[in-house]
Amino acid sequence: MDPVAFLVCVSIAHVVSTADVKHEAVFWRNSQIHSYFINRQRAAVQTNGDASNDPITFNTNLMGYPDRPGWLRYIQRTPFSDGVLYGSPTAEHVGKATIIEITAYNRRTFETARHNLVINIMSADDFPLPYQAEFYIKNMNVEEMLASEVLGDFLGAVKNVWQPERLNAINITSALDRGGRVPLPINDLKEGVYVMVGADVPFSSCLKEVETPQNQLRCSQEMEPMVSCDKKFRAQFNIDWCKISLVDITRVVSVIKEKPDPGSGVLPDIGEYNPPSDSLKSRDYFSDFLLTLAVPSAVAMVLFIILGYAMCCRREGVEKRNLQTPDIQLVHHSSIQKSTKDLRNMSKNREISWPLSTLPVFHPVSGEIVPPLHPDSFETTSMPLMQTQANLQNQTQIPQQPSGECASTV
């Protein structure tokens, strides 16, 4: 085994789904990433199914609780892939046995199988790692990164750049858990992984190149920074150097929050409780009635009377208007009204031909040509725009003098 992978202490186990074995124990250290692979082929055997064709899903939870602990995550891409439990225990869980119930569901045979995983958490405070760096790898998924070979190769590349004595993977987080978007299913895009590693020596000059003003400017312009050690990762890992995070725990100022005193939880003795008496004083609501109903009603009535007088009693009327209007203006107005009425009556009596677009042409059933429903007495389309004097009746002929003759008078 690669010595770097051995230092990471990544525990990889498989589900033993036989009738005799119900429990399996693993030993994890706090502040280090660990993983547990759930083999669907073993689960298919116990559920009497076909490992190659049956869809099998897994459900994981803390024994006695509906969900897993906060530091433990689970992922299974499809019902035809293995499940992965991974996480980094905290110091408060050291010395406590965590029992995880793993239930396998065969979606074809509808059979289930249960397996208990006992996680024993040991302390890793004897090997402190005060210098921590977090890398964002764009071409990896979390289950791919958790494989011991891939994680060992990444730690080997980091060790060549950093040159520490001790190097461990502290945590691995999917980019989706950091608010990233699900990648499109094209060109084999990955969701991305955040990998935090810790070491016992300060950061190398290559890692500090990201914090230079020139590279920070390039990152603000969405350009790749110039990092000399990028070629040592580029062959297998595509790292976004603009998202790298370097933390020195020795310089972090710890903030201690004072917890409030909860007290004894017993209320002080303030004597007996005296409820209010049953007899309540009577109250006169007449003044409230006048204030809320009578006064607004009176104001509304006064406004209604003023408005009615202004609209009905202050009108001049037609007779008063005619008396104050000059006679010549009334005659002129009357003649206009009479002329307008005559023109409207004449327009109603005019014979107007029906538009051709409104007349039916073919019978809807037989298809024969149908004569127009309103035949005109004359053909309007063939009428000239101006009639000649020969066609006009009752017209007076004006005699014309022959050309070339002129009359002279003395």
Side-chain angles (χ1 to χ4, degrees), residues 396-408:
T396 304
Q397 298 273 342
I398 299 177
Q400 300 180 357
Q401 294 181 0
S403 60
E405 296 180 0
C406 61
S408 61

Side-chain angles (χ1 to χ4, degrees), residues 42-56:
R42 302 288 182 87
V45 174
Q46 187 174 358
T47 55
N48 299 325
D50 186 1
S52 59
N53 297 325
D54 291 354
I56 298 176

Side-chain angles (χ1 to χ4, degrees), residues 33 73 86 88 129-138 145 151 154-155 158 162 167-179 192-199 203 207-208 210-211 233 238-249:
I33 187 66
R73 295 184 177 92
Y86 67 98
S88 179
L129 304 174
Y131 303 96
Q132 299 177 1
E134 187 178 54
F135 299 85
Y136 175 59
I137 305 175
K138 297 186 290 185
M145 196 68 196
L151 186 58
F154 177 74
L155 293 176
V158 175
W162 201 339
L167 182 70
N168 285 337
I170 298 177
N171 194 12
I172 294 179
T173 307
S174 173
L176 301 182
D177 298 333
R178 298 285 189 90
V193 180
Y194 287 91
V195 181
M196 178 177 289
V197 298
F203 305 107
L207 297 179
K208 292 182 179 180
V210 183
E211 297 180 348
F233 297 90
N238 186 7
I239 297 178
D240 188 350
W241 292 100
C242 290
K243 294 184 178 181
I244 189 174
S245 175
L246 304 178
V247 179
D248 186 359
I249 299 180

Side-chain angles (χ1 to χ4, degrees), residues 233-277:
F233 297 90
R234 184 66 64 177
Q236 188 176 0
F237 306 100
N238 186 7
I239 297 178
D240 188 350
W241 292 100
C242 290
K243 294 184 178 181
I244 189 174
S245 175
L246 304 178
V247 179
D248 186 359
I249 299 180
T250 58
R251 298 183 180 180
V252 176
V253 179
S254 60
V255 179
I256 301 176
K257 296 182 180 180
E258 296 182 358
K259 297 182 179 180
D261 185 10
S264 60
V266 180
L267 296 176
D269 187 9
I270 57 176
E272 297 181 357
Y273 173 69
N274 296 322
S277 60

Side-chain angles (χ1 to χ4, degrees), residues 28 68-73 86-90 93 98 119 121 171:
W28 291 359
R68 298 175 300 276
W71 56 269
L72 188 62
R73 295 184 177 92
Y86 67 98
S88 179
T90 58
H93 297 93
T98 303
I119 302 177
I121 302 174
N171 194 12

Side-chain angles (χ1 to χ4, degrees), residues 37 71 85 102 137 160 175 195 217-218 238-239 254 271 285 316 334 374 398:
F37 284 80
W71 56 269
L85 280 169
I102 303 174
I137 305 175
N160 294 332
V195 181
L217 179 61
R218 294 178 64 89
N238 186 7
I239 297 178
S254 60
Y285 292 95
E316 295 181 352
S334 178
H374 302 280
I398 299 177

Side-chain angles (χ1 to χ4, degrees), residues 54-226:
D54 291 354
I56 298 176
T57 58
F58 300 95
N59 182 33
T60 59
N61 63 281
L62 183 63
M63 179 175 287
Y65 295 89
D67 203 354
R68 298 175 300 276
W71 56 269
L72 188 62
R73 295 184 177 92
Y74 169 75
I75 185 173
Q76 184 186 13
R77 292 292 176 181
T78 64
F80 299 94
S81 61
D82 296 339
V84 183
L85 280 169
Y86 67 98
S88 179
T90 58
E92 61 182 7
H93 297 93
V94 174
K96 300 178 182 179
T98 303
I99 303 177
I100 304 298
E101 294 180 344
I102 303 174
T103 307
Y105 298 91
N106 191 318
R107 299 300 179 179
R108 185 184 66 85
T109 62
F110 301 100
E111 294 189 11
T112 61
R114 177 166 294 179
H115 179 79
N116 293 337
L117 176 66
V118 181
I119 302 177
N120 299 305
I121 302 174
M122 299 181 299
S123 176
D125 296 336
D126 299 337
F127 305 98
L129 304 174
Y131 303 96
Q132 299 177 1
E134 187 178 54
F135 299 85
Y136 175 59
I137 305 175
K138 297 186 290 185
N139 62 334
M140 286 287 175
N141 288 333
V142 62
E143 67 274 12
E144 298 174 350
M145 196 68 196
L146 288 171
S148 60
E149 297 83 3
V150 179
L151 186 58
D153 294 342
F154 177 74
L155 293 176
V158 175
K159 190 173 183 179
N160 294 332
V161 173
W162 201 339
Q163 298 296 329
E165 294 182 4
R166 292 190 303 270
L167 182 70
N168 285 337
I170 298 177
N171 194 12
I172 294 179
T173 307
S174 173
L176 301 182
D177 298 333
R178 298 285 189 90
R181 293 184 176 182
V182 179
L184 296 175
I186 56 175
N187 299 330
D188 196 20
L189 296 178
K190 306 294 183 179
E191 62 188 23
V193 180
Y194 287 91
V195 181
M196 178 177 289
V197 298
D200 56 346
V201 297
F203 305 107
S204 62
S205 58
C206 175
L207 297 179
K208 292 182 179 180
E209 291 179 2
V210 183
E211 297 180 348
T212 59
Q214 295 80 5
N215 286 330
Q216 292 296 324
L217 179 61
R218 294 178 64 89
C219 289
S220 63
Q221 297 175 353
E222 298 183 357
M223 300 174 61
E224 292 186 2
M226 304 299 294

